[in-house]
Amino acid sequence: MVQALNAVLPAHALLWNREDTTPYECDGLTAYRQRPLVVALPETYSEVQAVLKACHALEVPVVARGAGTGLSGGAMPHKLGVTLSLAKFNKILKLDPASRTAVVQGGVRNLAISEAAAPHGLYYAPDPSSQIACTIGGNVAENSGGVHCLKYGLTVHNVLKVKGFTIEGEEVEFGSDALDAAGYDLLSLIIGSEGMLAVTTEVTVKLVPQPLLARCIMASFDDLRKAGDAVASVIAAGIIPAGLEMMDKPMTAAVEDFVHAGYDLTAAAILLCESDGTPEEVEEEIGRMSEVLTRCGATAIAGEPERSRAPAFLEWPKKCVPGLGPHQPRLHVHGLDHSAQTPGRHFAGDCRGWKRSTGCAAPMCFMPAMATCTR
């Protein structure tokens, strides 16, 4: 394998010694580790294609990797396979304010897109917890969301076109620059496929205007189920907040200890609700949400100063992941990146079955609610 890849890659773009491949042994799901046989770091599309063709000819498995921040094990290496790193594809190729689109390479950081679009009053809506580091190619593979996915959608709702290569090294393109593409909707199939259908090298994303105003309120509850019911009640009232995030007491304490955001540490659960838009829209929506939350048993509702974007109440949980390390044996961290931030209709009933154990030897536990732990 090394011989074959040496023929298509420069020497510095190929790693196979133990000390070089160890940093690639896992992604954010650190409970599972496996060093790859070889790590390839191509710098051009033709090198990506050549690597895939060489691996296909030798029947060697390939695992594509972005920044390695995922919590689902999507970049978990194969011990007899090649880890294909797209880290060097980090260029924003085009940003068009008129059409509100950007064409970026797969290794561009999620947050870098919004930073580049900010001077034009635009931003890229999906904002997973790891957005300062995660790549758009990884977001496409995992269909990443974030706290604002309730209103603005997941990656699949914010991407127009994806270019890449199949495992055979064939160049493919899904979607189009238009709002829709003829034929089957293969773009929705490729997004969220975890790299099993194609290796993403280039993505065309939608950009949205920055809201004039964003405000966040924190509702405290003396019971976890009441907080879960409040989520369903807000949606049932016809309100679609820009963001909804619920944290129980142990998680609130862990986050507050790390970021000092001013969360209510006495509450059994807190619910963070964000509204954005024009000042009039925000004021009206915050008022309606406050009424619903009060009816659902909120013991207190606190607001924060008006901001043009990124309310601190909702931003701080995204920045706190490094501070959760000491709590890993007791806290289920997996949901921070995904849809746990907008619990569904049955969430309140399910959470009654959750149990926490400080005696478990597992470094991180992903046991479903009400399941029997085998560790």
Side-chain angles (χ1 to χ4, degrees):
M1 190 69 254
V2 173
Q3 242 182 349
L5 293 181
N6 261 326
V8 298
L9 290 177
H12 66 270
L14 197 59
L15 310 174
W16 69 87
N17 291 323
R18 180 188 178 97
E19 63 269 23
D20 295 327
T21 59
T22 296
Y24 296 87
E25 66 183 359
C26 67
D27 56 9
L29 185 61
T30 56
Y32 302 94
R33 300 171 183 267
Q34 175 63 63
R35 283 192 306 276
L37 179 69
V38 182
V39 177
L41 295 102
E43 299 174 1
T44 65
Y45 297 151
S46 59
E47 287 179 354
V48 173
Q49 186 176 38
V51 168
L52 290 170
K53 286 184 175 180
C55 292
H56 181 65
L58 294 173
E59 298 184 349
V60 172
V62 178
V63 177
R65 179 185 175 97
T69 59
L71 294 168
S72 68
M76 178 73 178
H78 191 289
K79 65 178 180 180
L80 296 177
V82 172
T83 289
L84 180 61
S85 172
L86 282 302
K88 295 185 178 181
F89 293 87
N90 56 4
K91 295 182 178 64
I92 296 177
L93 304 176
K94 179 183 178 183
L95 199 155
D96 186 356
S99 65
R100 294 179 182 173
T101 60
V103 181
V104 302
Q105 292 185 321
V108 170
R109 293 180 301 111
N110 176 294
L111 187 59
I113 301 175
S114 293
E115 290 172 344
H120 306 285
L122 304 169
Y123 75 106
Y124 178 62
D127 57 344
S129 303
S130 55
Q131 71 172 150
I132 61 171
C134 67
T135 65
I136 190 64
N139 291 174
V140 166
E142 299 288 338
N143 192 21
S144 302
V147 73
H148 294 103
C149 66
L150 178 62
K151 182 175 182 177
Y152 293 101
L154 303 162
T155 299
V156 69
H157 305 111
N158 290 274
V159 166
L160 287 172
K161 185 167 65 175
V162 170
K163 290 183 179 180
F165 295 94
T166 66
I167 190 63
E168 295 90 356
E170 178 186 354
E171 190 171 0
V172 288
E173 181 178 309
F174 305 94
S176 74
D177 293 320
L179 293 177
D180 202 358
Y184 293 114
D185 184 16
L186 297 180
L187 180 64
S188 297
L189 181 66
I190 199 74
I191 297 175
S193 63
E194 297 195 358
M196 298 296 290
L197 301 179
V199 175
T200 300
T201 55
E202 195 173 296
V203 185
T204 301
V205 302
K206 302 175 187 177
L207 303 174
V208 295
Q210 294 176 347
L212 296 177
L213 181 68
R215 281 183 59 199
C216 185
I217 57 175
M218 174 181 64
S220 303
F221 293 87
D222 57 10
D223 181 75
L224 186 61
R225 184 174 184 177
K226 289 181 182 178
D229 288 337
V231 173
S233 297
V234 168
I235 304 302
I239 304 170
I240 304 297
L244 270 179
E245 181 158 358
M246 192 182 88
M247 296 191 291
D248 65 2
K249 193 170 186 176
M251 180 60 79
T252 303
V255 175
E256 179 66 20
D257 184 54
F258 187 67
V259 300
H260 310 294
Y263 297 130
D264 184 354
L265 299 180
T266 64
I270 64 171
L271 188 60
L272 306 176
C273 311
E274 181 191 343
S275 174
D276 65 8
T278 65
E280 295 78 14
E281 290 172 336
V282 171
E283 183 178 0
E284 189 264 345
E285 191 170 82
I286 289 290
R288 291 176 62 200
M289 280 196 291
S290 298
E291 291 176 6
V292 173
L293 296 171
T294 301
R295 288 200 305 266
C296 290
T299 57
I301 297 178
E304 63 176 2
E306 296 180 355
R307 301 165 186 267
S308 59
R309 189 63 198 164
F313 275 165
L314 272 174
E315 284 297 297
W316 282 123
K318 293 163 56 177
K319 303 176 187 298
C320 77
V321 177
L324 297 178
H327 305 272
Q328 279 185 356
R330 302 184 300 282
L331 296 179
H332 178 29
V333 192
H334 182 64
L336 280 176
D337 243 312
H338 304 289
S339 57
Q341 292 156 327
T342 51
R345 181 165 57 92
H346 303 292
F347 178 80
D350 293 340
C351 65
R352 288 175 296 171
W354 291 1
K355 293 181 176 65
R356 299 181 182 275
S357 171
T358 57
C360 181
M364 292 182 74
C365 183
F366 300 96
M367 183 181 76
M370 303 301 289
T372 301
C373 183
T374 57
R375 293 191 175 183

